[in-house]
Amino acid sequence: MTGDSGDCWAGFAFSLRTDRPPEEIKRYYEAAPFTRSSAHFSELSVFASQESADRVWVAFDTTYSGTADLRCW
């Protein structure tokens, strides 16, 4: 998590072993309940790309308006 004057940018990524195409994985995570679990997170972006024949790389980026979080300053 990095920040600037009260705004934070958070992200995480992982590699997933699957036979599903990246587009399906992206839609799945965009609709997942945890992506809407906090009113403090906004501007969620989900990226998915084919890493190899049986692996998809998934990455999330979001903005966090946690003004009480000192990591955001």
Side-chain angles (χ1 to χ4, degrees), residues 1 5 7-8 10-12 14-16 23 27 33 38 40-42 45 49 51 54 61 64-65 67 69 73:
M1 186 177 300
S5 301
D7 293 323
C8 279
F12 65 97
F14 56 92
S15 182
L16 179 67
E23 299 79 21
R27 285 191 306 272
S38 175
H40 296 289
F41 290 97
S42 63
S45 297
S49 63
E51 188 174 20
D54 66 343
D61 288 310
Y64 174 68
S65 62
T67 55
D69 191 330
W73 289 91

Side-chain angles (χ1 to χ4, degrees), residues 3 9 13 17 22 24-25 31 34-35 41 45 57 59-61 65 67 71 73:
W9 300 277
R17 180 170 289 166
E24 183 179 340
I25 301 297
F34 79 89
T35 62
F41 290 97
S45 297
W57 179 256
F60 295 84
D61 288 310
S65 62
T67 55
R71 296 174 294 178
W73 289 91

